Amino acid sequence: MKSKAISYPYVAWMALFVIAPIVMITIYAFSTPDGNFTWANFATMTQFAAAFGRSFLLAAIATVICLLIGYPLAYFLARERGWLHRMATMLIMLPMWMNFLLRTYSWTFLLERHGLINRLFGLLGLGPFQMIDTQGAIVLGMVYNFLPYMVLPIFSVIDKIDPKVIEAAQDLGGNASVVFRRVTFPLSFPGVLSGITMVFIPSVSTFAISGLLGGGKTLLLGNLIDMQFLGNAYNPHLGSAISLVMMVIVMVCMAVMNRFGDGEQQGVTL
């Protein structure tokens, strides 16, 4: 009985700050301002189909870029030791010690028309280029802010791979490419799935990055929801419907990735 009592504060916390908000969002999504049941909020969402597609597309691009950069970096960190390992780890973690909005806002000074990057291009006789207030700037902000969430899960998995497994594969005649393709990558796949999830979900729902680096010209789901609750187009019922649909889509994506990861793990075990 005492062991169960320890979990009561956690259950109360989850009920108050997780379950209760989801229930409220669901009620608002299926109701009118008068409290009547309706499907109209979901029907109204069809006019924002472009924002849905754009959000998932940019989030997918940012996730792929983070994976292409993060996996080699995580592999390097897991294989290196000494001062180089510590220095690389510190450089990855250092931006996370700063405020999210502050480090995102700093990119506006780098990317603006008369910013540092365009000045460097000017020294080479190039530019100035329009980098701020573009979709490319939004993807850059996503990659910059969420790259550590791709690196760390992959690193933790690769670092735990028993070196004897790699040695056994090499003793059986596998070269570096075969060992990576048949042993290292399959064993690190759970970390890859965790990294994809941890990058894709905040990317698809972000509104601060698109607001600061997109200049309000690129409407994403996060901005759309923010407008319904805090903007001039105040409509919490429509905002709740959008939030509910996005949450369901994200949960389906997570379920598919977890299912795929289970199948991959079974294949590796066999």
Side-chain angles (χ1 to χ4, degrees):
M1 186 66 182
K2 291 183 179 180
S3 60
K4 291 184 178 180
I6 297 176
S7 65
Y8 290 163
Y10 174 76
V11 173
W13 177 276
M14 292 291 291
L16 182 61
F17 294 104
V18 177
I19 299 176
I22 293 177
V23 172
M24 292 179 61
I25 288 175
T26 304
I27 293 174
Y28 266 73
F30 288 97
S31 64
T32 64
D34 298 329
N36 300 318
F37 177 84
T38 182
W39 292 96
N41 296 319
F42 295 94
T44 307
M45 287 171 46
T46 56
Q47 60 183 304
F48 302 114
F52 272 86
R54 189 182 306 113
S55 298
F56 281 90
L57 176 61
L58 295 183
I61 293 173
T63 303
V64 171
I65 294 174
C66 284
L67 179 60
L68 294 177
I69 298 174
Y71 194 98
L73 186 56
Y75 186 87
F76 166 77
L77 289 176
R79 291 293 176 259
E80 286 293 330
R81 290 293 182 266
W83 69 271
L84 189 58
H85 172 87
R86 294 191 295 270
M87 179 64 69
T89 304
M90 185 190 70
L91 292 176
I92 294 173
M93 298 295 296
L94 187 61
M96 300 180 67
W97 298 349
M98 295 184 291
N99 181 269
F100 176 85
L101 292 177
L102 180 62
R103 63 176 186 261
T104 303
Y105 192 71
S106 65
W107 275 101
T108 61
F109 296 100
L110 296 174
L111 298 176
E112 64 183 7
R113 193 169 183 83
H114 301 290
L116 178 61
I117 297 178
N118 267 322
R119 290 182 181 180
L120 294 177
F121 280 126
L123 296 176
L124 302 175
L126 302 174
F129 300 102
Q130 179 62 35
M131 293 181 285
I132 197 69
D133 299 342
T134 62
Q135 294 185 10
I138 296 174
V139 172
L140 175 63
M142 293 177 180
V143 172
Y144 172 74
N145 281 290
F146 303 135
L147 180 60
Y149 301 115
M150 180 67 75
V151 175
L152 296 179
I154 298 176
F155 162 75
S156 64
V157 174
I158 296 178
D159 191 52
K160 294 177 182 177
I161 296 177
D162 192 343
K164 294 181 180 179
V165 176
I166 306 298
E167 294 176 2
Q170 293 172 343
D171 291 340
L172 291 173
N175 55 33
S177 176
V178 173
V179 171
F180 175 79
R181 180 166 48 87
R182 300 290 297 273
V183 179
T184 305
F185 184 76
L187 290 177
S188 65
F189 199 72
V192 172
L193 288 180
S194 297
I196 291 175
T197 303
M198 295 176 67
V199 172
F200 181 78
I201 292 178
S203 294
V204 79
S205 60
T206 185
F207 64 94
I209 295 176
S210 54
L212 292 174
L213 301 182
K217 297 180 180 180
T218 303
L219 183 65
L220 301 183
L221 283 178
N223 306 108
L224 185 59
I225 295 172
D226 181 62
M227 288 168 53
Q228 306 307 316
F229 285 98
L230 300 176
N232 295 329
Y234 181 75
N235 189 347
H237 298 275
L238 176 59
S240 297
I242 298 172
S243 302
L244 187 62
V245 170
M246 185 180 70
M247 181 173 62
V248 171
I249 294 175
V250 169
M251 291 178 65
V252 170
C253 293
M254 291 177 60
V256 171
M257 286 190 292
N258 289 335
R259 182 80 174 182
F260 183 71
D262 292 340
E264 186 74 15
Q265 280 297 97
Q266 290 174 5
V268 173
T269 302
L270 293 174

